[in-house]
Amino acid sequence: MGDERRSIELEVEVSGTPEEVWRAVATGPGISSWYVPHTVEERAGGAAMASFGPGPEMQIPGRVAVWAPPRRVCFDGGEGVEGLAFEWTVEPRGDNRCMVKLVNTGFGQGGEWDAQYDSMVEGWGLFLFNLKLHMEHFAGQTAASVLPVGMWAGSRDEAWGVLTDALGIPSAPATGERIEVNALGAPPLAGTVVDAAAWRIVLLLDQPAPGTGFVTVESYGEHAGASVWLYLYGGDGTEAAERDGALWQNWLAEALGGGADGSTE
């Protein structure tokens, strides 16, 4: 059974009017531009679908449980379906700013749920930062995403060293530094560092197209998942996403010694 008392509650201040921010958190094109590809029927009771990878098992259906534009939307698994629910609220803060609040409920008890909870807290932090970047630099535009993951049978620290060495980039760059991937077989990738912390680098991209990029490593028990996630805009971005998605997946598999699973979980 889910434990409604345990929830993830996060917020981020972003630029934009409530209507502009609503598009980003409540519609398919908006959510796809900073999270994972989504389709949303824009009405209460409408169907929703989140794509966490290429396989059919990675297509996660849901429902629009609450639709109250431009202030509140809630997604869940459907009527009578237990599991996770995601409530988003948009609160205007004046001067073309809004506070976006997420309440993620429906977690169960036990070690497996504990690990999922911890992983989602970390993941939501990253995605909400991407939402902030999207609203600041690309509001109203729709990104084409590239979301490969490669698995490493070892520690997070080891995977981070292997990944950054293979990419030919510093493991701890300074904010404001421009870095460019220099790796045999990897597609072109370059941008300015807007955030860097343990196991992650966030880029405002200029190659292969304008957009945002995340070089990250997540922990999965005895394994680690290394990601190069890209959100690309404009015609060049769409073309690059179609061209480079499989290339990045294959590159990660080779760089980490095999084991890339093609998912974002």
Side-chain angles (χ1 to χ4, degrees), residues 144-168:
S145 58
V146 177
L147 306 173
V149 176
M151 298 308 295
W152 170 262
S155 74
R156 198 179 199 183
D157 286 337
E158 291 172 335
W160 183 246
V162 169
L163 178 62
T164 53
D165 284 350
L167 289 171

Side-chain angles (χ1 to χ4, degrees), residues 20-192:
E20 290 168 338
V21 178
W22 171 263
R23 178 189 183 274
V25 301
T27 73
I31 300 169
S32 300
S33 297
W34 56 270
Y35 184 29
V36 300
H38 269 64
T39 58
V40 177
E41 265 190 310
E42 299 179 15
R43 61 177 180 84
M49 182 74 73
S51 178
F52 287 89
E57 73 281 2
M58 304 305 292
Q59 314 312 306
I60 309 301
R63 175 187 67 155
V64 181
V66 176
W67 181 264
R71 295 294 182 85
R72 180 170 173 255
V73 64
C74 183
F75 300 99
D76 65 10
E79 185 173 359
V81 177
E82 292 189 359
L84 300 177
F86 310 88
E87 180 184 66
W88 298 89
T89 58
V90 178
E91 297 182 0
R93 287 295 171 92
D95 297 326
N96 205 44
R97 308 285 298 177
C98 289
M99 184 67 74
V100 177
K101 295 185 178 182
L102 165 67
V103 179
N104 182 184
T105 58
F107 295 93
Q109 299 284 1
E112 186 173 338
W113 278 106
D114 292 342
Q116 183 172 358
Y117 179 91
D118 292 341
S119 176
M120 291 186 72
V121 168
E122 183 174 342
W124 277 127
L126 184 149
F127 288 120
L128 289 179
F129 188 79
N130 199 27
L131 170 61
K132 183 176 182 177
L133 292 176
H134 169 72
M135 293 305 303
E136 182 176 352
H137 298 281
F138 305 104
Q141 301 181 53
T142 301
S145 58
V146 177
L147 306 173
V149 176
M151 298 308 295
W152 170 262
S155 74
R156 198 179 199 183
D157 286 337
E158 291 172 335
W160 183 246
V162 169
L163 178 62
T164 53
D165 284 350
L167 289 171
I169 62 175
S171 59
T175 301
E177 180 179 351
R178 186 179 185 275
I179 62 177
E180 184 170 355
V181 165
N182 182 21
L184 182 65
L189 183 66
T192 301

